[in-house]
Amino acid sequence: MQEISKQRFDALAGYTRSPRIVSLVQEAAWFASEGERVLGLIVWDRIDHDFGWVVLGRDRRARFRAIGQDASLPSFNVARDALAAALDRFHHQLDEDYHQGDERGRPVDFFAAVVPAERMNPSFKMLAENARYSPARELIEAMMRFHDDADGNFVEQFQSTGFDARFWELYLFAAFAEIGYARQSDVAVPDLVLSGHLGRIAIEATTANPPQGIAVPWPRSDEEIDAYLRHYVPIKLARALTRKLNHPQPYWQANGVDGAPFVIALQDFHAPAAMTRIVPTATEYVFGVRHAIVDGALQIERIGEHAFGRMREPSGFFDLPLAENVSAVIVNPLGTLTKFNRMGQIAGFGDPRVRMVRVGLARGELNQDDPKPFPFEHNVSAPDYQESWVEGMVVLHNPRALIPLDPNQIPGANHEFLRPDGRIMSLLPDFQPYTSQTAITLDETTDTVLDGVEPFPNI
């Protein structure tokens, strides 16, 4: 029996957790038999304060699921010894002994081609074929075993026109599993209804996408850049959010939501590198205020409308009719392919020749006298490198929410609150990256990416 990291266990089996179990027990350590044929974990009972163990083997769809367990053990060491014996016993059983009898369909494979090469999304092709992205690919291969394709077209969209939107859903799936939530499998709408010891959250994912049939109006001059960021981009975000707000069947009334805080998770894919600017743009739009420093003093501007050409949208999403049913809007500029690559390497996936170095700007509360963003440089391939899925997430809280979201329900995120005077109060983790670039090296070749995308020209 060998001990494995929580990141490794989460990638292989974390999505098998049930809402009831994660509310009752706390995981204490994670293990695997030789070749990871079976996995094991030790749990601590939150109610009885004793220990237990669980062994997991792959079912007919190649998903790790519980095949043995014991409880009411007096100490961690007793549970560890019992788990070692159980892992050895289950390791030598037949594959068929792990099957549950309730599996339907074949194992899910995101990378078996279902669309012709000419229709494949370039980012999907890079993920599927480029050795430098093998940590992300192998991580996703492990995750996909637990994916239930409710719509029947996830894989086709993942490989073609819907790659960005589907990838954003995978990110949310991973981030909230890490925090300790389990998905309620009997709820299809909204995208994620989650339960755990921190409570319940309902999440609907949405994305701002490239315009149909027309080109993105690339800004060239300083005036064009200002108009683009202050008006065109907020209009794109506004339309993505209001599309969900005005859905014919309100998400917050869906079966299974049952009074849980309802959150919209927003990502911007309307142009390359668009997500790198989503935090300030989304913050201004949802709150309807713009902050600027003039002669050393904070100046607050109330934004009435965003206008770009013939496009018009009122500012202040949280002030719109029905928006009181939205508890918060979530964004994360770092929820990209490059994060999957880093998290995959942390969990032990990928070509061993891959090396990554990450540099960027971060914000934190470590220096109250100088709160400006500070530069950082991290060797992702170093044994002590740490990163979480939630890192980079920003939660914009609705001041008018009928069901407020407790910030303690999403630990590790940056939480933003609008005060009545127009100021914004921030609850920051110790390390909150703004942007980062990751140099990915394999066989003396280097690929430097801004969290998975190339930057705008002239911006």
Side-chain angles (χ1 to χ4, degrees), residues 1 20 32 61 115 146 153 163 168 175 181 195 229 268 285 312 357 359 372 387 407 422 452:
M1 182 176 77
R20 179 176 178 274
R61 291 185 58 190
V115 300
F146 297 91
N153 59 3
F163 177 84
W168 179 234
Y181 289 96
S195 297
L229 296 177
D268 190 359
Y285 166 65
R312 297 284 191 279
V357 176
V359 298
K372 296 190 300 295
E387 182 176 350

Side-chain angles (χ1 to χ4, degrees), residues 148-391:
D148 290 317
D149 190 357
D151 299 330
N153 59 3
F154 188 100
V155 176
E156 185 272 335
Q157 291 189 1
F158 184 72
Q159 296 182 8
S160 57
T161 57
F163 177 84
D164 292 331
R166 295 307 197 181
F167 205 89
W168 179 234
E169 292 176 28
L170 288 180
Y171 165 74
L172 296 168
F173 189 39
F176 282 91
E178 171 192 74
I179 294 171
Y181 289 96
R183 184 177 186 176
Q184 294 183 203
S185 58
D186 58 337
V187 180
V189 177
D191 292 320
L192 295 171
V193 176
L194 305 162
S195 297
H197 71 282
L198 297 175
R200 300 177 67 249
I201 304 178
I203 301 174
E204 177 66 16
T206 191
T207 57
N209 302 314
Q212 296 293 319
I214 59 174
V216 173
W218 294 104
R220 301 297 178 182
S221 66
D222 290 343
E223 289 183 356
E224 290 177 349
I225 292 172
D226 185 70
Y228 186 89
L229 296 177
R230 285 174 176 251
H231 296 289
Y232 180 82
V233 178
I235 288 172
K236 294 292 292 184
L237 301 185
R239 293 181 176 180
L241 288 171
T242 55
R243 185 170 61 243
K244 298 299 183 179
L245 182 64
N246 299 315
H247 194 272
Q249 297 178 331
Y251 294 102
W252 52 87
Q253 295 178 1
N255 293 332
V257 174
D258 298 330
F262 171 67
V263 174
I264 302 178
L266 171 67
Q267 186 60 290
D268 190 359
F269 294 111
H270 86 268
M275 71 286 295
T276 64
R277 293 165 180 82
I278 193 172
V279 172
T281 309
T283 302
E284 289 186 355
Y285 166 65
V286 301
F287 290 145
V289 299
R290 180 175 294 125
H291 289 183
I293 302 297
V294 179
D295 297 328
L298 176 64
Q299 185 178 82
I300 300 173
E301 173 192 353
R302 299 284 180 175
I303 309 169
E305 183 183 59
H306 298 283
F308 191 91
R310 296 182 178 180
M311 301 166 63
R312 297 284 191 279
E313 290 291 342
S315 193
F317 174 74
F318 290 141
D319 292 326
L320 296 178
L322 299 179
E324 66 273 10
N325 296 289
V326 180
S327 303
V329 170
I330 287 175
V331 298
N332 190 344
L334 310 184
T336 64
L337 174 56
T338 313
K339 175 180 274 286
F340 274 75
N341 218 38
R342 295 192 299 266
M343 298 301 291
Q345 187 166 78
I346 292 173
F349 293 107
D351 191 311
R353 299 173 297 166
V354 174
R355 297 290 182 269
M356 287 183 271
V357 176
R358 182 188 185 200
V359 298
L361 290 174
R363 180 185 181 196
E365 294 182 324
L366 297 181
N367 187 351
Q368 295 288 349
D369 297 328
D370 186 13
K372 296 190 300 295
F374 57 88
F376 68 89
E377 178 175 343
H378 296 154
N379 181 1
V380 179
S381 302
D384 60 347
Y385 177 77
Q386 296 182 355
E387 182 176 350
S388 65
W389 284 108
V390 77
E391 182 184 285

